[in-house]
Amino acid sequence: APAAEAALVGARPGAGGAEAACAALARDFTPLTDMRASAGYRLKAAQNLLRRFLMEIAPDRPATRVLDLADV
C-alpha cells in the first residue's frame, strides 16, 4: 500500500496520520464484492484495522483491549 505508507512517513502516530493513511488506503486497495461481503465493507474493515494498529502504537494510546481496561 504505497499511498498509505507515504501518508504515514514523517507523521506522528495518532488521529491525523491515521485518517490520512486510511484515506490513502482507498487508493491502494481494490477489494472485491462477493456473497460474503461487499467491496465497501472490505475497504472499511481494512481501514479500521489500519486505524486500530496506529492507535495501539501511539504513545498516548487509548485502551483498545479488555486486558488493558483491567489495568485501569
Side-chain angles (χ1 to χ4, degrees), residues 1-7 28:
E5 186 177 334
D28 290 330

Side-chain angles (χ1 to χ4, degrees), residues 6-53:
L8 291 170
V9 172
R12 276 190 65 238
E19 294 311 311
C22 287
L25 186 62
R27 294 190 298 273
D28 290 330
F29 181 54
T30 309
L32 56 87
T33 294
D34 64 12
M35 65 183 192
R36 292 177 188 88
S38 68
Y41 175 83
R42 291 172 195 258
L43 175 61
K44 183 58 79 177
Q47 289 171 325
N48 287 340
L49 287 169
L50 177 59
R51 189 177 289 113
R52 182 172 177 171
F53 167 74

